[in-house]
Amino acid sequence: MHFKHKAPEKIPYAINRYLREAERHYEVLDKHMEGREYLVGDDYSIADISAWGWVDKATFVLGEEGLDNYPNLKRWFTSINTRPAVDKARNIAKDIQFKSDFDDAAARALYPQNFAKNAE
């Protein structure tokens, strides 16, 4: 999603290439979830907790349709998303002011590999 949302130059090939790869990953998860309630085994686990945070970003990755093309994954996500701990997690930082500017300092912190080592 870097090329779609953060790259200073929009490169259609890169945007499409990595969107298709993300879609492939969602498809793999969707097939895996067919007939399953949880990602691993018969019980809710750290795998579900961890994956939920990434799948929660489906609309950011895939667009407005989100998980609509992945019914098994959407069912799993909806099930996890209704748990009381999710509401608590979503509200944990509601009273914290976060920096919202994507300036040079933020770019250097998020993508240090894009800058020369001693460049200030």
Side-chain angles (χ1 to χ4, degrees):
M1 294 295 86
H2 172 80
F3 291 104
K4 184 176 181 180
H5 296 290
K6 295 294 183 189
E9 176 185 350
K10 298 296 181 202
I11 304 169
Y13 170 83
I15 293 168
N16 183 65
R17 164 68 177 86
Y18 290 104
L19 173 60
R20 297 297 170 244
E21 184 63 9
E23 290 171 339
R24 187 182 71 79
H25 285 249
Y26 282 98
E27 186 177 333
V28 167
L29 273 173
D30 188 65
K31 287 179 181 176
H32 175 77
M33 291 310 301
E34 188 172 347
R36 296 174 184 257
E37 188 173 351
Y38 301 108
L39 282 172
V40 180
D42 296 327
D43 298 308
Y44 179 67
S45 72
I46 191 67
D48 298 290
I49 295 166
S50 178
W52 170 86
W54 288 99
V55 176
D56 185 51
K57 304 302 179 208
T59 55
F60 181 77
V61 174
L62 302 170
E64 287 184 35
E65 69 276 1
L67 296 174
D68 290 347
N69 293 323
Y70 311 94
N72 298 309
L73 190 56
K74 187 174 184 175
R75 172 192 43 78
W76 167 84
F77 178 77
T78 300
S79 171
I80 302 304
N81 204 44
T82 61
R83 297 177 73 91
V86 169
D87 187 52
K88 185 175 181 179
R90 287 195 188 281
N91 290 305
I92 203 162
K94 70 178 182 180
D95 297 327
I96 298 172
Q97 181 75 23
F98 290 97
K99 178 180 176 171
S100 60
D101 297 348
F102 192 74
D103 57 14
D104 189 57
R108 288 175 182 280
L110 285 170
Y111 312 116
Q113 66 277 18
N114 291 344
F115 298 90
K117 286 192 178 200
N118 293 322
E120 291 296 318

